[in-house]
Amino acid sequence: VVLVAFSFFSVGVVTLPVKERAEGIFAQQVISGMQVQTYWLANFTFDFLVYLAPLVCAFSVLFLVPFLNGSISVILAMGVVMALYGPATILHTFAWSRRFNSTLAAQGVVLSTNLVLGPVLIVVVNIFAALSLLTAEEDNYDNKYSMAAYATTWVGR
């Protein structure tokens, strides 16, 4: 659920750069003397400040989730990942924005890549976790059983 919610954040980020370039606003600002680095830094700063609101909301919900049982290390790890997701998705979205002249097309591509790449990343992480369980103690039957139990619980999600 969090993955889908954060995917929509990047759709809002891609709109302004594409619209400004398509309508010639970006070129007008450059002609008027604005430095390109200043433009992208200002956009990044604004988008990151906008991202802080859903970040704080999502991070505060982590304290309310009962299955975490107040585990500070899990909450902290999830918080760090969510905090790093913002700058990463903003930069990813800026890179995609250069390829489009239509905001609708840019929004569709950015949303679909986030919705596809997010679950792919989850699958890759779980595969590496399962492989690390296999290679930790190859001769231990209990370890192989725990890997199979882990894999079946993951598939059941």
Side-chain angles (χ1 to χ4, degrees), residues 2 55-80 82:
V2 173
L55 175 67
V56 168
C57 291
F59 193 69
S60 62
V61 167
L62 289 177
F63 288 104
L64 303 175
V65 176
F67 73 87
L68 293 176
N69 295 329
S71 174
I72 294 298
S73 62
V74 173
I75 292 172
L76 184 62
M78 291 178 75
V80 167
M82 286 189 293

Coordinates of all heavy atoms in Angstrom, one line a residue, residues 2 55-80 82:
V2 N 1.9 1.2 0.8 CA 2.8 2.4 0.8 C 3.5 2.6 -0.5 O 3.7 3.7 -1.0 CB 3.9 2.2 2.0 CG1 4.9 3.3 1.9 CG2 3.2 2.1 3.3
L55 N 6.0 11.8 3.9 CA 7.1 11.1 4.6 C 6.8 11.1 6.1 O 6.8 10.0 6.7 CB 8.4 11.7 4.3 CG 9.6 11.1 5.1 CD1 9.8 9.6 4.7 CD2 10.8 11.9 5.0
V56 N 6.4 12.2 6.6 CA 6.1 12.3 8.1 C 4.9 11.5 8.4 O 4.8 10.8 9.4 CB 6.0 13.8 8.5 CG1 5.4 13.9 9.9 CG2 7.3 14.5 8.4
C57 N 3.8 11.6 7.5 CA 2.6 10.8 7.7 C 2.9 9.3 7.7 O 2.4 8.6 8.6 CB 1.6 11.2 6.7 SG 0.9 12.8 6.9
A58 N 3.6 8.9 6.7 CA 3.9 7.4 6.6 C 4.8 7.0 7.8 O 4.6 5.9 8.3 CB 4.6 7.1 5.3
F59 N 5.8 7.8 8.2 CA 6.7 7.4 9.3 C 5.9 7.3 10.6 O 6.1 6.5 11.4 CB 7.8 8.4 9.4 CG 8.9 7.9 10.2 CD1 9.7 6.8 9.9 CD2 9.2 8.5 11.4 CE1 10.7 6.4 10.7 CE2 10.2 8.1 12.3 CZ 11.0 7.0 11.9
S60 N 4.9 8.2 10.8 CA 4.2 8.2 12.0 C 3.2 7.0 12.0 O 2.9 6.5 13.1 CB 3.4 9.5 12.2 OG 2.5 9.7 11.1
V61 N 2.8 6.6 10.9 CA 1.9 5.4 10.8 C 2.7 4.1 11.3 O 2.1 3.2 11.8 CB 1.3 5.2 9.4 CG1 0.6 3.9 9.2 CG2 0.3 6.3 9.2
L62 N 4.0 4.1 11.0 CA 4.8 3.0 11.4 C 4.7 2.7 12.9 O 4.8 1.5 13.3 CB 6.3 3.2 11.0 CG 6.6 3.1 9.5 CD1 8.0 3.4 9.3 CD2 6.2 1.8 8.9
F63 N 4.5 3.7 13.7 CA 4.4 3.5 15.1 C 3.1 3.0 15.5 O 2.9 2.4 16.6 CB 4.7 4.8 15.9 CG 6.1 5.3 15.8 CD1 6.5 6.3 15.0 CD2 7.1 4.7 16.6 CE1 7.8 6.7 14.9 CE2 8.4 5.1 16.6 CZ 8.8 6.1 15.7
L64 N 2.1 3.1 14.6 CA 0.8 2.5 14.9 C 0.6 1.1 14.4 O -0.4 0.5 14.8 CB -0.3 3.5 14.3 CG -0.2 4.9 14.8 CD1 -1.2 5.8 14.0 CD2 -0.4 5.0 16.3
V65 N 1.4 0.6 13.6 CA 1.3 -0.7 13.0 C 1.5 -1.8 14.0 O 2.6 -1.8 14.6 CB 2.2 -0.9 11.8 CG1 2.1 -2.3 11.2 CG2 1.9 0.1 10.7
P66 N 0.6 -2.6 14.3 CA 0.7 -3.6 15.4 C 1.8 -4.7 15.2 O 2.4 -5.2 16.1 CB -0.7 -4.2 15.6 CG -1.4 -3.9 14.3 CD -0.8 -2.7 13.7
F67 N 2.0 -5.1 13.9 CA 2.9 -6.2 13.7 C 4.4 -5.9 13.9 O 5.2 -6.8 14.0 CB 2.7 -6.8 12.3 CG 3.2 -6.0 11.2 CD1 4.6 -6.1 10.8 CD2 2.4 -5.1 10.5 CE1 5.0 -5.3 9.7 CE2 2.9 -4.3 9.5 CZ 4.2 -4.4 9.1
L68 N 4.7 -4.6 14.0 CA 6.1 -4.2 14.3 C 6.4 -4.4 15.7 O 7.6 -4.4 16.1 CB 6.3 -2.8 13.8 CG 6.2 -2.6 12.3 CD1 6.4 -1.1 12.0 CD2 7.3 -3.4 11.6
N69 N 5.4 -4.4 16.6 CA 5.6 -4.6 18.0 C 6.6 -3.6 18.6 O 7.4 -3.9 19.5 CB 6.1 -6.0 18.3 CG 5.1 -7.1 18.0 OD1 3.9 -6.8 18.1 ND2 5.5 -8.2 17.6
G70 N 6.6 -2.4 18.1 CA 7.5 -1.4 18.6 C 9.0 -1.6 18.4 O 9.8 -1.0 19.1
S71 N 9.3 -2.4 17.4 CA 10.7 -2.6 17.1 C 11.3 -1.4 16.5 O 11.1 -1.1 15.4 CB 10.8 -3.8 16.2 OG 12.2 -4.0 15.8
I72 N 12.1 -0.7 17.3 CA 12.7 0.5 16.8 C 13.7 0.3 15.6 O 13.7 1.1 14.7 CB 13.5 1.2 18.0 CG1 12.5 1.6 19.1 CG2 14.3 2.4 17.5 CD1 11.5 2.6 18.6
S73 N 14.4 -0.8 15.6 CA 15.3 -1.0 14.5 C 14.5 -1.2 13.2 O 15.0 -0.7 12.1 CB 16.2 -2.3 14.8 OG 15.4 -3.4 14.9
V74 N 13.4 -1.9 13.2 CA 12.6 -2.1 12.0 C 12.0 -0.7 11.6 O 12.0 -0.4 10.4 CB 11.5 -3.1 12.2 CG1 10.6 -3.2 11.0 CG2 12.1 -4.5 12.5
I75 N 11.5 0.0 12.5 CA 10.9 1.3 12.2 C 11.9 2.3 11.7 O 11.7 3.0 10.7 CB 10.2 1.9 13.5 CG1 9.0 1.0 13.8 CG2 9.8 3.3 13.2 CD1 8.3 1.4 15.2
L76 N 13.1 2.2 12.3 CA 14.2 3.1 11.8 C 14.6 2.7 10.4 O 14.8 3.6 9.5 CB 15.3 3.1 12.8 CG 16.5 4.0 12.5 CD1 16.1 5.4 12.5 CD2 17.6 3.8 13.4
A77 N 14.8 1.4 10.1 CA 15.2 1.0 8.8 C 14.1 1.4 7.7 O 14.5 1.9 6.7 CB 15.4 -0.5 8.8
M78 N 12.9 1.2 8.0 CA 11.8 1.6 7.1 C 11.8 3.1 6.9 O 11.6 3.6 5.8 CB 10.5 1.1 7.6 CG 10.4 -0.5 7.5 SD 8.8 -1.1 8.1 CE 7.7 -0.7 6.8
G79 N 12.0 3.8 8.0 CA 12.1 5.3 7.9 C 13.2 5.8 7.0 O 13.1 6.7 6.2
V80 N 14.4 5.1 7.1 CA 15.5 5.5 6.3 C 15.3 5.2 4.9 O 15.6 6.0 4.0 CB 16.8 4.8 6.8 CG1 18.0 4.9 5.8 CG2 17.2 5.3 8.2
M82 N 12.3 5.1 3.4 CA 11.4 6.0 2.9 C 12.0 7.4 2.7 O 11.6 8.2 1.8 CB 10.2 6.1 3.8 CG 9.3 4.9 3.7 SD 7.7 5.0 4.6 CE 8.2 5.1 6.3

